[in-house]
Amino acid sequence: MTQPTNYRFSFGPWNISEGGDPFGPEVRPAFPHEEKFALYRPLGFEGVQFHDDDVVPGMDDLSPDQISRKASEVKTMLGNSGLIPEFVAPRLWFASQTVDGGYTSNSASDRAYAWSRTQKCIDIANAIDSKAIVLWLAREGTYIREAKDAKLAYQRILETINNILAYDPKIEIWIEPKPNEPTDQAYVPTIGHAIALAYASSDPSRVKGLIESAHALLAGLDPSDEMAFALAHDKLGSVHLNDQNGLKYDQDKNFGAANLRGAFNQVRVLEQSSYGSRGEFIGLDVKAMRTQAGSPVTAHLTSSRELFEILVEKSRTFDEKLAHQFRDHRDYEALELYTLKHLLGTK
Ligand code: 3MF
Ligand code: MG
């Protein structure tokens, strides 16, 4: 590596939340959406990740004019606050038309809704100068396999990607894989699936992936190897660093909170590929514990960022020469002990 990367960090407004979960209501006072943006810079973040309706709330009921007026307000707000929009993601999992998915729904009118919502999302991305949209394909999957024709579903996803590329000559598509939740099985569960779609598309250079640590773990995979796969193809658009304690609901725990060594290996693979040197963000998709007092709760964001920075230091001080000697002698026992001691800061 030539120049040490100066990392910049991002998160989405949904990461400041009031603690509601499927079993109980919010437990902290409501914190207004519009006030979240003023917190970014003081917390050490300059990138904002958006859902389309984080930019334009209630967009399904607004005219194109109203949408573009609201989007330009947000663009001005970003400029005044020194913030950069990293991506806009169409929220295709909330509306009644997306109960059974959008692009892969069996209903032609639902698919038409999904496509029109995606076009609006791209327009919004352009209006705020975001160079990418993210496709987290939340409901593109099934609860029972017999519900959809899976082969047709894959063709429909690829067709949508090509339609997006044709609709806009510049926008990048970053696919965020996740194996399950809300569906039982999602059609794009791993970065391998996302990158296969990229290569099959009409413009592979504009289709990349966004890897979330917890999603890779839910697929039974190592996030650092998932990242390495994308990086080897120069297709890592962004990351959602967080953590996950075993195979259960998507936890969005603080980065490194469940598996420090796993977090170290993610940082190391990013460092070794100079991820970030072309402006890519370190995105954090972390959720505050429901039990946390205070309002607004933001410590999970700053703690995850601090942990990332500590692990960057651990990665830069990792004795690569020694590691290579251990590799040459195939002494992985010694390499493992060295790695653990290095992380613990003991000799
Ligand atoms: C779902 C997620 C989402 C997506 C976001 C962007 C809450 O498991 O991780 O974050 O990242 O909706 O598409
Ligand atoms: Mg995510």
Side-chain angles (χ1 to χ4, degrees), residues 176 210 212 215 240 285:
E176 179 178 353
L210 180 157
E212 172 158 330
H215 296 179
H240 268 172
D285 195 1

Side-chain angles (χ1 to χ4, degrees), residues 14-15 49-51 87-91 93 134-138 176-178 180-182 210 212 215 218 240 242 250 252 285:
W14 62 86
N15 294 109
Q49 308 184 332
F50 287 103
H51 295 124
F87 67 70
V88 184
R91 195 195 293 276
W93 52 91
V134 161
L135 298 183
W136 170 47
L137 300 165
E176 179 178 353
K178 184 179 181 184
N180 62 293
E181 197 196 41
L210 180 157
E212 172 158 330
H215 296 179
L218 286 169
H240 268 172
N242 59 17
D250 184 9
D252 296 338
D285 195 1

Side-chain angles (χ1 to χ4, degrees), residues 116-176:
S116 118
R117 175 84 182 218
T118 303
Q119 287 171 301
K120 287 181 194 169
C121 174
I122 298 166
D123 297 344
I124 290 171
N126 282 321
I128 65 167
D129 281 343
S130 165
K131 73 175 174 83
I133 64 161
V134 161
L135 298 183
W136 170 47
L137 300 165
R139 298 191 188 278
E140 313 303 347
T142 51
Y143 297 86
I144 60 167
R145 300 299 81 71
E146 299 82 3
K148 288 180 189 171
D149 177 336
K151 188 177 165 208
L152 181 60
Y154 279 113
Q155 289 164 341
R156 283 177 167 158
I157 292 171
L158 180 58
E159 198 184 313
T160 303
I161 290 168
N162 285 336
N163 289 342
I164 295 170
L165 295 169
Y167 180 77
D168 187 294
K170 287 222 285 293
I171 203 98
E172 290 192 3
I173 303 169
W174 301 344
I175 302 172
E176 179 178 353

Side-chain angles (χ1 to χ4, degrees), residues 11 15-17 28 39 43 45 253-255 284 286-289 292-307:
F11 68 88
N15 294 109
I16 297 176
S17 60
R28 297 182 281 268
L39 300 175
L43 291 172
F45 291 79
K253 288 170 90 70
N254 288 348
F255 183 52
L284 298 173
V286 289
K287 190 170 196 169
M289 287 177 249
Q292 183 64 23
S295 168
V297 167
T298 54
H300 56 303
L301 291 159
T302 46
S303 305
S304 294
R305 199 199 63 224
E306 189 177 339
L307 206 274

Side-chain angles (χ1 to χ4, degrees), residues 15 26 34 36 55 73 85-86 98 103 110 123 153 215 226-227 255 264 279 285 314 327 330 344:
N15 294 109
E26 284 70 28
E34 324 75 66
K36 292 177 182 172
V55 184
E73 260 173 58
E86 186 190 4
T98 56
Y103 311 138
D110 290 356
D123 297 344
H215 296 179
E226 287 283 273
M227 288 172 191
F255 183 52
F264 168 68
D285 195 1
K314 285 289 174 190
R327 284 184 186 183
R330 226 201 301 137
L344 289 166

Side-chain angles (χ1 to χ4, degrees), residues 17-28 181 249-251 287-291:
S17 60
E18 285 91 33
D21 72 15
F23 306 95
E26 284 70 28
V27 290
R28 297 182 281 268
E181 197 196 41
Y249 64 95
D250 184 9
Q251 294 184 298
K287 190 170 196 169
M289 287 177 249
R290 189 172 193 258
T291 46

